[in-house]
Amino acid sequence: MEAESGANGTAVTEFILLGLVDTPGFLPLVFVLFLFAYLLTVGGNLSILAAILVEPKLHTPMYFFLGNLSLLDIGCITVTVPSMLSRLLSHKRAVPYGACLTQVFFFHQLAGVDCFLLTAMAYDRFLAICRPLTYSTRMSQMVQKILVAVSWACAFTNALTHTVAISTLNFCGPNVINHFYCDLPQLFQLSCSSTQLNELLLFGLGILMAGAPVVLIVTSYIHVAAAVLRIRSVEGRKKAFSTCGSHLTVVGIFYGTGIFSYMRLGSVEASDKDKGIGVLNTVISPMLNPLIYSLRNPDVQGALRKVLMGKRAPA
C-alpha cells in the first residue's frame, strides 16, 4: 500500500481491527455465530426476493421496494461480515488502508440507499391509503424506478464525500481500531489531523440523509393514521394498519441503531457499546427484516411456501 507517499502525509499503511472479543477461546464461537447469521440473512433475503418474483399478488410497488431492500440487506452484511470471518480464520487482524476506506464507502453507500428506500415505502403507504384514486398513476413503474435511482445517486454522493474527506486526514500514530469493521467515528479517533470538518460533514449530511427521511416518514404516517382512524369497520382498520406495521418496525430498528451510532462522536469509552450497536446495524437488522415481513404478512407466507415447495404461481 502506497499510503505513506500520498499528498496527505499518511504514514499508516494498515489498520488493526481488534474484532468483537479479546479472549481467544471465544473466537470459534464468534465465527460459528456470525457465519450462521450471515447464511441466515442471505438465505432469508433471497427467499423474500424469490417470493416476490413467484407470487403475482406481490407484484406491487410496496414489494418492488421490499425486493430492493432485501438486496441492500444482503449487500450490507456482505460488506462487513465475510471480511471479519476471514480475519478470524487467518488470525490476522490487519486491514490495508485502502481496503478500510473501501469498506467505509460501500457501507455508507448501502446504508444511504436504505434511508431513502424506507422513505419511498412510507410514501407508497401514504398514497395507497390516503390517495387511493390516484395511486396507480402517482406510483407507476416509472416513478418506482426513479425513486430507486435517485436513492442510489444521493447515497453515492454522500458515501463518496465522506470517503474523499477521510482520505485527506493524516494517520501517523496509533492504528488500532476497537471494532470489527472500519467506520468513520473510529477512524476519526485515530487521525493526527483535525477532524472538525469531517465531523461537521457527518453531522450535516446525516441531517440530510437520515433527518429529512425521518421527517417525511413521520409526516406520511401521521396522515396514514388519521385516514385509518376514519375507517368505520374494525376489520378495515386492522388491514390498513397491518400493511404499515412491518415497515414501521424495520424503520424503528434501522434509524434507532443508526442515530445511536453516529450521534456520539469522540466517545472512546463507548467503543464496546459501539461494537454492540455495530452488530445490530450490520447483522441483526438485515437478518430480522425478512422475518418481520414474512411473519406479519399472509401473502408473503403463502409465496414463501410456494418457493419452498417448488411451485410456481400460474401466470
Side-chain angles (χ1 to χ4, degrees), residues 1-313:
M1 179 69 207
E2 296 297 316
E4 63 265 69
S5 62
N8 64 356
T10 295
V12 169
T13 59
E14 60 183 27
F15 294 100
I16 307 298
L17 286 169
L18 294 183
L20 281 169
V21 291
D22 299 325
T23 316
F26 284 122
L27 295 179
L29 178 64
V30 170
F31 180 86
V32 170
L33 283 175
F34 276 78
L35 178 62
F36 176 72
Y38 181 70
L39 295 173
L40 195 65
T41 302
V42 172
N45 282 290
L46 285 176
S47 298
I48 290 285
L49 277 169
I52 291 167
L53 288 171
V54 303
E55 178 57 75
K57 276 186 190 175
L58 303 183
H59 295 172
T60 64
M62 185 68 177
Y63 291 102
F64 172 74
F65 294 130
L66 179 58
N68 278 275
L69 192 68
S70 291
L71 284 173
L72 282 176
D73 285 338
I74 293 168
C76 218
I77 197 168
T78 300
V79 165
T80 54
V81 171
S83 58
M84 185 192 86
L85 294 175
S86 69
R87 285 192 300 276
L88 285 171
L89 274 181
S90 63
H91 301 289
K92 290 178 182 173
R93 295 177 168 187
V95 178
Y97 175 88
C100 198
L101 263 59
T102 302
Q103 190 175 50
V104 167
F105 171 80
F106 281 108
F107 180 71
H108 283 269
Q109 165 76 61
L110 294 166
V113 180
D114 237 329
C115 286
F116 291 116
L117 210 52
L118 289 169
T119 312
M121 291 168 87
Y123 177 60
D124 173 75
R125 291 300 82 206
F126 164 75
L127 289 180
I129 293 169
C130 302
R131 305 284 185 272
L133 298 178
T134 57
Y135 176 69
S136 56
T137 50
R138 290 196 191 190
M139 195 47 82
S140 64
Q141 284 194 351
M142 181 59 75
V143 171
Q144 294 165 46
K145 287 170 185 173
I146 289 169
L147 285 170
V148 171
V150 168
S151 299
W152 277 94
C154 292
F156 176 81
T157 307
N158 174 64
L160 189 64
T161 302
H162 286 310
T163 310
V164 169
I166 204 156
S167 70
T168 64
L169 296 178
N170 294 328
F171 294 96
C172 53
N175 67 338
V176 177
I177 298 172
N178 187 18
H179 215 301
F180 65 98
Y181 64 92
C182 295
D183 202 6
L184 297 172
Q186 289 75 31
L187 289 171
F188 291 168
Q189 290 169 10
L190 300 181
S191 174
C192 304
S193 46
S194 171
T195 59
Q196 194 173 1
L197 178 63
N198 299 74
E199 290 184 20
L200 278 171
L201 265 177
L202 186 57
F203 183 76
L205 288 173
I207 296 294
L208 285 174
M209 296 292 295
V214 164
V215 169
L216 291 170
I217 290 168
V218 169
T219 305
S220 294
Y221 276 108
I222 287 170
H223 284 94
V224 165
V228 170
L229 290 172
R230 285 196 295 268
I231 297 172
R232 295 287 176 89
S233 74
V234 176
E235 195 57 38
R237 264 189 234 172
K238 192 178 172 185
K239 190 178 176 183
F241 269 130
S242 72
T243 64
C244 306
S246 304
H247 179 244
L248 279 173
T249 307
V250 171
V251 166
I253 294 168
F254 178 78
Y255 281 105
T257 54
I259 289 165
F260 198 80
S261 292
Y262 297 107
M263 292 299 116
R264 303 179 307 119
L265 293 177
S267 174
V268 180
E269 317 79 52
S271 56
D272 285 333
K273 287 181 186 174
D274 288 340
K275 282 195 267 190
I277 295 297
V279 172
L280 274 173
N281 257 336
T282 62
V283 182
I284 306 296
S285 184
M287 189 167 63
L288 283 179
N289 287 357
L291 196 63
I292 290 164
Y293 277 100
S294 60
L295 279 178
R296 297 182 66 100
N297 194 309
D299 289 336
V300 174
Q301 288 169 17
L304 282 170
R305 276 194 292 274
K306 286 180 187 175
V307 170
L308 295 170
M309 289 157 60
K311 293 180 184 174
R312 278 195 67 85

